[in-house]
Amino acid sequence: MRIPGMPDYDAAALAKLRAQDAEIAAVFDAHGYDFIEPPILEPADVFLEQSGEDIRRRIYAFNDASGQELCLRPELTIPACRMYLRGAGAGGPARLSYNGPAFRFQPPGRDRPCQFLQAGVECLGIDDKEAADAEVLAVTLAAVQATGLSEYAIEIGDVGLFFGLIDQLQLPERWRLRLKHQFWRPGQLQDLINRLSGADGAGADRTAFLAALGALDGEQAKAAVEDVLQMAGIAPAGGRTIDEITVRFLEQAADARSGALSQEIVALFDAFFDISGGCAGAIAGLRDLTRQAGIALDAEIARFERRCDLADKRGVPVDQLRFAARFERGLQYYTGFVFELRAQAEGVPGPIAGGGRYDRLLAQLGADKEIPAIGGAIRTEWLLLARGEA
């Protein structure tokens, strides 16, 4: 019996995948990336803590006989990083490659497999971040091109630009942290901006409730929230506890006391997220915006420009790169440059490749300091489909 959502390849399709894998592996090897085989089973808490919301809700997690919560890896970057940290000389430069299955639950009706194949590279411990960014982008493109695919679009972004913008603004620290945290959820980020600016249409009753709640201490606030939920006949939903709901309300009460996000800052966010286009045009747009707003993002913009120059020297078709300030990928551990390749052939469900920089992840996984890191991954089945071979 075939399991829904699991691949079911015939001999011809398997042969094509293996031939394609060999072409990709040859490129990775030629650029000095050592092949590893990360574990398929991993501690579930690692992914629950470090991955984005979209990944967390689609993890296949279970308890083994000893009670330890494990999961099938939903992607291969974290397992590869954990192998790196367990290896000799961890913390030093390393170039690693992999190729294997990953697993994510797909809601009914979504035309994507629960088990899929991913080949990729991780460039770890290289201090010249822009050079490493350009390298990983170039290697990923070279691997795709080696299989014969030449028609695709390349979209890039830079999380560091938005984080740098936030750090330049006069905002309460908790607002900075939440705005950065919500960058990975565009809808929720906009909801947060609307609420902080007062554009969410919150009524006087809600404002009065938050003001009254904010005057209570932690235990009193928790008891008040419990009473309100019981009187309204509302049960906690979405896995949230009363404590978590109370913390959420207290955050909103603190926001109300801090005043509203100014319309000037809201307009600045809107203008920033509207910046898109080729590298040269995006750089000019960023400089114009920051100059008009009196904000110093010179260092961040200079890094962006240098990355593009280095990518050009590595043979990346920089004139084909399309920057989008709002561009993001679905993993919250990214901290800087991000990219995606999308096939121009019809019928491909999503990006055929993508990746980004994640400088904080290794410290969060147990390293004694932050380690520069960037990776790129190819969805090999979708690449085969884009080539018309599937």
Side-chain angles (χ1 to χ4, degrees), residues 65-380:
S66 71
Q68 182 181 9
E69 188 176 21
L70 302 173
C71 73
L72 301 175
R73 63 189 185 198
E75 48 96 8
L76 278 83
T77 291
I78 287 178
C81 288
R82 281 168 48 80
M83 284 192 71
Y84 166 78
L85 291 176
R86 292 194 296 269
R95 290 174 170 83
L96 307 176
S97 69
Y98 56 77
N99 191 334
F103 309 83
R104 297 180 193 175
F105 169 75
Q106 302 295 340
R110 192 177 192 193
D111 188 23
R112 293 190 179 186
C114 298
Q115 176 180 319
F116 57 93
L117 298 173
Q118 193 177 75
V121 294
E122 308 296 341
C123 185
L124 310 171
I126 307 298
D127 290 330
D128 189 338
K129 297 180 181 181
E130 290 73 47
D133 292 346
E135 175 183 320
V136 167
L137 176 59
V139 169
T140 304
L141 290 177
V144 168
Q145 292 167 348
T147 69
L149 185 71
S150 59
E151 298 294 326
Y152 48 78
I154 312 169
E155 188 170 26
I156 63 172
D158 191 341
V159 183
L161 287 169
F162 179 67
F163 287 5
L165 177 67
I166 293 296
D167 289 338
Q168 290 292 318
L169 302 177
Q170 296 297 317
L171 299 172
E173 184 61 23
R174 66 181 182 281
W175 288 11
R176 296 183 199 277
L177 295 174
R178 285 158 59 197
L179 287 164
K180 292 178 181 180
H181 181 69
Q182 296 293 8
F183 181 80
W184 309 107
R185 309 173 182 91
Q188 294 184 36
L189 175 61
Q190 190 60 55
D191 289 344
L192 176 60
I193 292 172
N194 291 342
R195 187 171 68 250
L196 295 179
S197 65
D200 62 345
D205 291 343
R206 179 173 176 271
T207 302
F209 169 73
L210 291 175
L213 194 67
L216 305 176
D217 64 29
E219 286 303 315
Q220 291 173 327
K222 178 182 174 182
V225 170
E226 285 182 316
D227 289 344
V228 169
L229 292 178
Q230 288 175 0
M231 286 187 293
I234 300 172
R240 291 181 177 173
T241 65
I242 292 293
D243 285 339
E244 290 170 331
I245 294 172
T246 302
V247 168
R248 179 77 168 163
F249 276 130
L250 289 176
E251 286 178 350
Q252 294 184 30
D255 292 343
R257 291 196 302 272
S258 297
L261 191 66
S262 73
Q263 291 305 304
E264 289 78 13
I265 291 179
V266 173
L268 177 63
F269 286 158
D270 289 341
F272 175 81
F273 286 130
D274 281 344
I275 294 175
S276 63
C279 289
I283 290 168
L286 288 165
R287 285 182 171 147
D288 286 345
L289 177 65
T290 54
R291 182 176 60 252
Q292 293 170 13
I295 292 174
L297 281 184
D298 295 346
E300 289 85 353
I301 296 172
R303 286 194 287 270
F304 178 11
E305 186 171 28
R306 180 169 180 263
R307 182 187 301 120
C308 292
D309 290 341
L310 291 171
D312 183 49
K313 291 176 182 177
R314 281 188 167 271
V316 174
V318 175
D319 59 329
Q320 296 179 28
L321 301 182
R322 307 301 296 173
F323 171 81
R326 195 181 285 275
F327 173 66
E328 49 81 24
R329 287 176 54 77
L331 293 166
Q332 69 183 31
Y333 53 64
Y334 287 129
T335 59
F337 174 61
V338 289
F339 68 93
E340 278 187 353
L341 278 66
R342 290 188 174 271
Q344 296 181 347
E346 293 187 8
V348 182
I352 57 173
R357 173 159 293 280
Y358 51 91
D359 291 337
R360 301 191 188 108
L361 178 60
L362 287 146
Q364 293 165 343
L365 293 176
D368 58 6
K369 62 178 181 179
E370 289 189 0
I371 298 174
I374 179 172
I378 299 170
R379 289 287 294 263
T380 56

